[in-house]
Amino acid sequence: VIWTTTPWTIPANRAIAYNESIAYGAYQVEALEEGLEFEPWAKPGDKLIVADKLAEEVFKAAKIGKWRRIEAIDCQGMVCAHPLAALDSHYGYSVPLLAGDHVTEEAGTGFVHTAPGHGADDYVVWMSHGHREIPETVDADGAYYPHVPLFGGLKVLETEGKKSGKFGPANSAVMDKLIEAGGLLARGRLEHSYPHSWRSKAPVIFRNTPQWFIRMDEPLDSAQHGGRTLRETALESIEATAFYPEAGRNRIRTMVESRPDWLISRQRAWGAPLAMFVDKETSQPLHDEEVNARIIAAIAADGADAWFTRPVTDFLGPHDPDRYEKVEDILDVWFDSGSTHAFTLEGRENTRWPADLYLEGSDQHRGWFQSSLLESSGTRGRAPYNGVLTHGFTMDENGEKMSKSKGNTVDPHQVIKESGAEIIRLWAAMVDYSDDQRIGKTILATTADAYRKLRNTLRYLLGALAGYSDEEAVALADMPPLERYILHRLQALDTEVRDAYAGYAFQDVIRPLIAFCQEDLSALFFDVRRDALYCDQPTALRRRAARTVMDAAFERLTVWLAPLMPFTTEEAWTLRFPDAGSNALRIFPETPAAWACPEEAARWAKVQAVTAVVTGALEVERREKRLGAALEAAPVVHISDPALLAAFEGLDAAEVFRTSQATLVSGEGPAGAFRLAESPAVAVEPLRAQGRKCARSWRILPEVGEDPRYPDLSLRDAEAVAAWDAARGAT
């Protein structure tokens, strides 16, 4: 007894599969269920062979009320008759029982009817037992071929009209014939997950068809292959290719190592033709360069349709058209896509073969990446690319696939309309594209914040560098410590950014640059040097040095960010240098190795550790309303660690702390001083600054008013204003 959900495949039956690990028994029907409204097909005295574990379930379905097990059954070597043999001699062949691991005792009868032309498991078990003949029962239109007895012409699947995509009358017709032949035990209705086309949602049936393959393990005769097979050539190419991320190498290697021969034909009404003729006597393709030349010329003149519309004599020339069959199959579209390198890269100006990089989703290890690899390995002896980059898929903020029906899609046009195209680019640069990435309003808001930080940095630099020229530049040897530190950071970032771009690691470009702009420039350098920029004389070394470093930072930030924020960096560059050409055409400037100064990096790590304690102390004072702005303070900072104290050598502590005055003292400090657990060697007394407030710098200093010319200014500011007034007077 076999059980199937596809009765239409019974005419194609060639075997019955069983599992050697399943216990089978022969059972005799003793009696049927009582009180039935119809007469079951089973009869008392019938002998049925089923899996022991499934016997009760089978007999209930057949309305059998009483049965007994006669004996155990060894299925090896058993041969059956086809259930339709009594109705037509065509089905008079023997049906062997074949062992197969795909047979289970979870449901059914423990036996699986095997139609090798209509199922993968069926095909494999049939071929593995040495059988080669595969019957053809269903045509390309979803109907039985005319030569199929009892069912010729009946539709298995409707392909036209209102019923298109539905099952046709074949299922019912087969069941009717099984009843007529006495071969049906029971039937019922159920819904199950039948294969469907993911595009049209229509059911899909499996049918065997002759196909064209490219052998993976036959030595290639081209001199460039050196006797290697296509598989060997492809595997060597994989090892010679750079993969981003590296995991892609193992993924595609595993697929190529285990893949069967390459199927390149399809039976569809559209596509690039497999333009070949086959000798009807030998079944071999016709190899004739003159025929190939005529085919190429016709397709060049009239397109691929010429193969289907022109008479065969246009191609065959002197060859007998009755001897050759024209192949009507089309090329698999993956072969088409795998050939793109040949006509997009070769023979064109301003490009070259192989490609530097192939870029696509991670599913293309099985698709485009692999078809390109195989096609090029077979025709050119290597991959058509030097590198392969793969990315994941874009999900919504909750990690769910986007769907219009769910309403969770993100429209790029709407994002661009609301926030600008740079936000989309920056989001793409910030995510880990090697995995599935998420996007949504909250994530885009975070991206917009990051963009704002970068844009504001460039805006600040544009303002601070107004009027700057190379004559103002300060030599490296004359740079103050803070400027030396920022140059050190630029030098380190130069290496980091170049390496990240070389590896297509855009996250490792944008995130360090955001951190640099936010932490090193905005929170430290700009904040500390704001006073010098606004209040020092234009000729002052400190101000000139700051602007020299800002110029170096602007030059590099605009070009480092150009691939990721092209509009913003173009705007910033052309605003400052309107006659210097496009920022997009610049190359990365060389960053001097001499800028590297790990000593300054170590110094400023210590300085910022102390500054964090001072800032914490001032925040408490502001919260308690004992102080307002930091410029009202004159902290006394006690430092018990000599290394921390030494880090301030040559620095103006008040400038570093952004206070009006500051005093550094060696020692533990008083018990009531402010401390942070992470910096036990630092104690701060947040005292109020003494003196008057400078009307220009707002610093509170005792010296304010000492210069009688400018009674509201500190001495530094008085000198700066005097120089400004003198310059205006001279003009």
Side-chain angles (χ1 to χ4, degrees):
V1 180
I2 67 96
W3 177 84
T4 182
T5 58
T6 55
W8 63 268
T9 61
I10 293 291
N13 173 270
R14 284 297 182 274
I16 296 172
Y18 70 98
N19 194 315
E20 293 175 319
S21 64
I22 294 177
Y24 295 93
Y27 293 81
Q28 180 167 303
V29 178
E30 298 288 313
L32 304 178
E33 292 182 5
E34 296 180 357
L36 296 175
E37 297 179 358
F38 59 90
E39 184 178 356
W41 289 302
K43 297 290 186 291
D46 286 350
K47 295 182 177 63
L48 307 174
I49 300 175
V50 295
D52 288 333
K53 187 176 179 180
L54 297 168
E56 184 173 355
E57 181 180 330
V58 171
F59 299 147
K60 284 184 178 180
K63 306 303 180 184
I64 298 171
K66 185 178 180 181
W67 63 89
R68 66 183 178 88
R69 189 174 189 270
I70 303 172
E71 60 180 329
I73 295 295
D74 181 0
C75 297
Q76 185 176 6
M78 188 179 289
V79 177
C80 294
H82 195 286
L84 297 174
L87 301 182
D88 194 286
S89 60
H90 168 82
Y91 299 104
Y93 48 81
S94 296
V95 178
L97 266 69
L98 306 177
D101 292 337
H102 66 290
V103 182
T104 71
E105 50 186 349
E106 293 178 3
T109 67
F111 294 105
V112 175
H113 120 76
T114 300
H118 295 295
D121 289 332
D122 303 50
Y123 175 84
V124 169
V125 74
W126 178 251
M127 298 292 284
S128 67
H129 282 80
H131 300 284
R132 291 294 177 265
E133 180 189 358
I134 309 292
E136 295 185 47
T137 53
V138 177
D139 66 18
D141 291 328
Y144 289 118
Y145 282 110
H147 66 256
V148 178
L150 307 177
F151 310 106
L154 288 180
K155 285 277 191 178
V156 173
L157 199 65
E158 296 288 355
T159 56
E160 298 176 356
K162 293 183 179 180
K163 294 184 178 181
S164 179
K166 305 294 184 181
F167 280 101
N171 273 331
S172 295
V174 170
M175 284 188 283
D176 289 343
K177 289 298 180 182
L178 287 173
I179 294 170
E180 182 182 341
L184 190 63
L185 181 65
R187 66 179 172 183
R189 291 185 175 275
L190 72 150
E191 290 187 8
H192 69 110
S193 181
Y194 203 78
H196 279 69
S197 163
W198 66 273
R199 286 188 184 276
S200 67
K201 312 304 182 187
V204 173
I205 63 173
F206 294 90
R207 54 182 289 271
N208 64 302
T209 58
Q211 302 290 350
W212 292 90
F213 295 85
I214 294 175
R215 294 193 184 279
M216 292 294 295
D217 296 309
E218 189 169 292
L220 299 166
D221 56 9
S222 173
Q224 64 187 346
H225 292 90
R228 295 173 299 170
T229 65
L230 178 57
R231 193 187 310 276
E232 290 169 341
T233 304
L235 289 172
E236 289 181 15
S237 295
I238 290 171
E239 294 308 310
T241 300
F243 284 88
Y244 311 93
E246 176 61 26
R249 185 189 311 279
N250 291 333
R251 180 175 169 83
I252 193 170
R253 184 202 293 120
T254 300
M255 292 178 179
V256 172
E257 284 176 339
S258 61
R259 74 162 296 144
D261 289 337
W262 186 10
L263 171 63
I264 61 166
S265 58
R266 292 291 186 270
Q267 294 71 48
R268 291 183 182 143
W270 55 269
L274 264 167
M276 295 188 296
F277 289 94
V278 175
D279 190 318
K280 294 178 181 178
E281 296 178 4
T282 65
S283 298
Q284 294 300 309
L286 171 62
H287 294 282
D288 188 319
E289 291 302 325
E290 292 184 2
V291 172
N292 291 342
R294 285 191 284 270
I295 294 171
I296 292 171
I299 291 177
D302 300 333
D305 282 349
W307 177 252
F308 301 105
T309 58
R310 288 195 180 190
V312 295
T313 52
D314 284 7
F315 308 115
L316 286 173
H319 292 284
D320 181 4
D322 293 331
R323 179 177 174 179
Y324 293 96
E325 178 184 356
K326 186 175 73 167
V327 175
E328 297 283 353
D329 292 353
I330 65 161
L331 269 170
D332 173 26
V333 293
W334 287 115
F335 192 97
D336 284 0
S337 70
S339 305
T340 51
H341 65 92
F343 53 85
T344 58
L345 298 180
E346 294 181 340
R348 287 190 166 195
E349 296 182 4
N350 304 318
T351 188
R352 62 182 181 274
W353 187 97
D356 292 318
L357 187 75
Y358 268 41
L359 164 67
E360 246 290 3
S362 55
D363 58 329
Q364 296 305 313
H365 289 111
R366 188 178 301 278
W368 182 48
F369 297 147
Q370 189 173 155
S371 65
S372 299
L373 168 70
L374 296 179
E375 193 281 336
S376 185
S377 293
T379 59
R380 289 154 176 80
R382 60 151 293 166
Y385 40 67
N386 291 325
V388 168
L389 184 149
T390 52
H391 58 79
F393 298 91
T394 304
M395 309 293 186
D396 71 3
E397 284 186 311
N398 299 317
E400 295 183 4
K401 183 179 179 181
M402 290 191 197
S403 168
K404 288 183 178 179
S405 60
K406 288 183 180 179
N408 63 341
T409 58
V410 175
D411 184 356
H413 292 94
Q414 190 62 33
V415 176
I416 292 170
K417 183 178 178 181
E418 294 174 357
S419 306
E422 300 287 66
I423 300 302
I424 296 287
R425 294 190 182 94
L426 196 58
W427 165 82
M430 293 177 70
V431 299
D432 179 7
Y433 63 76
S434 64
D435 199 357
D436 290 345
Q437 54 271 338
R438 300 183 181 191
I439 191 170
K441 288 187 176 180
T442 303
I443 292 171
L444 287 172
T446 302
T447 306
D449 288 341
Y451 171 77
R452 202 172 295 112
K453 293 182 178 75
L454 293 170
R455 183 178 177 86
N456 286 344
T457 298
L458 294 177
R459 288 184 63 189
Y460 186 89
L461 288 171
L462 282 170
L465 288 167
Y468 176 83
S469 66
D470 291 341
E471 289 75 19
E472 189 179 326
V474 172
L476 179 63
D478 298 325
M479 288 284 180
L482 180 55
E483 279 66 23
R484 286 296 305 270
Y485 169 65
I486 299 301
L487 291 177
H488 167 81
R489 290 288 294 119
L490 287 172
Q491 204 282 332
L493 280 169
D494 182 75
T495 301
E496 195 173 348
V497 168
R498 288 174 188 267
D499 289 347
Y501 271 127
Y504 307 103
F506 306 114
Q507 260 193 322
D508 296 337
V509 174
I510 198 67
R511 294 191 181 279
L513 291 182
I514 291 173
F516 172 69
C517 290
Q518 187 173 356
E519 298 166 13
D520 294 312
L521 291 185
S522 181
L524 177 63
F525 185 50
F526 293 167
D527 213 17
V528 170
R529 284 292 181 252
R530 184 178 290 108
D531 177 73
L533 283 172
Y534 293 171
C535 300
D536 281 4
Q537 293 188 44
T539 57
L541 175 67
R542 183 172 61 173
R543 187 176 190 276
R544 288 171 44 226
R547 299 215 320 156
T548 302
V549 171
M550 288 179 175
D551 177 65
F554 180 85
E555 181 183 17
R556 282 155 182 80
L557 284 174
T558 48
V559 75
W560 287 343
L561 290 168
L564 310 179
M565 297 168 50
F567 290 172
T568 304
T569 52
E570 183 77 10
E571 180 186 21
W573 178 258
T574 53
L575 275 173
R576 189 176 175 207
F577 302 113
D579 302 321
S582 173
N583 184 62
L585 298 178
R586 297 171 59 206
I587 60 172
F588 286 10
E590 291 299 323
T591 299
W595 286 8
C597 189
E599 297 83 5
E600 284 300 337
R603 176 218 284 263
W604 283 94
K606 296 182 180 70
V607 168
Q608 287 180 282
V610 175
T611 302
V613 184
V614 174
T615 301
L618 297 183
E619 286 177 353
V620 172
E621 297 303 299
R622 279 196 293 269
R623 187 170 64 245
E624 299 299 325
K625 304 194 183 309
R626 292 191 287 266
L627 283 175
L631 287 175
E632 295 180 11
V636 176
V637 184
H638 302 269
I639 304 175
S640 59
D641 184 345
L644 290 179
L645 189 61
F648 283 84
E649 184 177 348
L651 301 179
D652 180 347
E655 183 182 39
V656 172
F657 300 150
R658 291 72 139 180
T659 58
S660 288
Q661 304 159 33
T663 305
L664 302 182
V665 180
S666 176
E668 295 289 340
F674 179 86
R675 291 174 172 82
L676 290 178
E678 57 267 30
S679 300
V682 181
V684 178
E685 294 181 89
L687 305 182
R688 179 176 288 276
Q690 301 300 309
R692 294 171 54 202
K693 181 178 180 180
C694 173
R696 188 165 180 266
S697 68
W698 294 8
R699 294 181 68 184
I700 298 172
L701 298 167
E703 66 189 50
V704 172
E706 289 185 8
D707 189 324
R709 297 173 299 174
Y710 305 101
D712 294 329
L713 302 181
S714 67
L715 294 177
R716 186 274 309 263
D717 289 275
E719 287 297 325
V721 173
W724 173 255
D725 288 345
R728 286 199 304 169
T731 302

